[in-house]
Amino acid sequence: MDAQKKMNVAVLASGRGSNLQALLDAEKRGELPCAHIALVISDNPEAKALQRAQAAGVEAVFVDPTPFKKRRAEYDGEILKVLRSHHIEFLVLAGFMRILSDVLLNAYPNKIINIHPALLPAFPGLHGQRQALEYGAKVSGCTVHFVDAGVDTGPIILQAVVPVMDDDTEDTLSARILQYEHRTFPKALDLISRGLVRVEGRRVFIEEDPEQK
Ligand code: GRF
């Protein structure tokens, strides 16, 4: 596909950025033929995600939240300015530790995805892996979903199931789930950018890939 026709994507990340890295690596390997990660934004100046972006030659921007305490919409307005100035068409939340306001949700309707380390609707919110372990679930996993106004409540795009072992700790389960996150997130972005994902209310349908026929 013509480089100019690629969907221009921004990744928002607050920390480690391993999912960002998986997306950058997938693009580099040619596994995101219709998407280009053009920008990484963080609310944390120390985020390793910013360093990963720079190392990959992707513009990395820290948008300081401190002047906007309790004024989420205004902070999102600052982010929106940066997104617009980079002609961003689609947002990926990869460990972005903030709830988005209507400012971003309305600017990008059904154009924001998130990854969550549990099989939603089970164990939303923080520490999805710890919640699964403490509950005694025998399987957990990860979920890629569209972002709506709730916490981890938007329509589900893809899920991967991961076993919970008897001797798991939060760390071992998190590490096992993370491996699946790193495959599932690029896959979802690829399907969306190729126009193969259709949303009907809460249900998301993956169209047959014409190239796989
Ligand atoms: C991942 O577990 C993701 O599911 C959750 O936040 C974590 C981010 O990890 N939303 P990383 O920054 O991508 O390494």
Side-chain angles (χ1 to χ4, degrees), residues 13-21 49 52 93-97 114-118 129 142 174 177-178 181-182:
S14 298
R16 178 178 62 179
S18 72
N19 277 288
L20 164 67
Q21 192 67 56
R52 292 181 191 270
L93 309 186
F96 190 60
M97 302 306 287
N114 179 48
I115 189 151
H116 181 73
Q129 306 95 328
C142 62
S174 299
I177 292 173
L178 196 61
E181 293 184 37
H182 293 165

Side-chain angles (χ1 to χ4, degrees), residues 89-104:
E89 302 168 273
F90 195 88
L91 306 189
V92 174
L93 309 186
F96 190 60
M97 302 306 287
R98 286 174 182 274
I99 296 169
L100 302 190
S101 72
D102 283 349
V103 170
L104 287 174

Side-chain angles (χ1 to χ4, degrees), residues 83-203:
L83 296 171
R84 292 224 162 110
S85 69
H86 288 79
H87 310 287
I88 297 300
E89 302 168 273
F90 195 88
L91 306 189
V92 174
L93 309 186
F96 190 60
M97 302 306 287
R98 286 174 182 274
I99 296 169
L100 302 190
S101 72
D102 283 349
V103 170
L104 287 174
L105 295 173
N106 293 339
Y108 291 92
N110 267 351
K111 289 181 177 169
I112 309 176
I113 59 173
N114 179 48
I115 189 151
H116 181 73
L119 291 176
L120 292 172
F123 315 126
L126 292 176
H127 309 300
Q129 306 95 328
R130 188 191 305 168
Q131 290 186 60
L133 206 54
E134 287 177 353
Y135 194 88
K138 297 296 187 193
V139 293
S140 190
C142 62
T143 303
V144 181
H145 63 92
F146 286 105
V147 174
D148 65 10
V151 176
D152 302 323
T153 51
I156 291 170
I157 305 162
L158 290 178
Q159 294 186 300
V161 179
V162 177
V164 179
M165 306 301 190
D166 288 348
D167 59 356
D168 263 335
T169 62
E170 185 180 356
D171 284 349
T172 59
L173 179 59
S174 299
R176 190 175 313 114
I177 292 173
L178 196 61
Q179 293 177 0
Y180 286 81
E181 293 184 37
H182 293 165
R183 287 176 231 159
T184 312
F185 218 7
K187 175 85 187 153
L189 183 60
D190 179 48
L191 290 168
I192 292 167
S193 63
R194 287 194 288 138
L196 298 173
V197 171
R198 181 167 51 89
V199 187
E200 282 179 27
R202 277 215 58 86
R203 298 194 66 194

Side-chain angles (χ1 to χ4, degrees), residues 63-72 74-75 78:
V63 181
D64 189 354
T66 43
F68 302 100
K69 285 213 173 85
K70 294 194 182 156
R71 289 183 288 143
R72 236 175 349 125
E74 283 175 55
Y75 179 65
E78 290 301 303

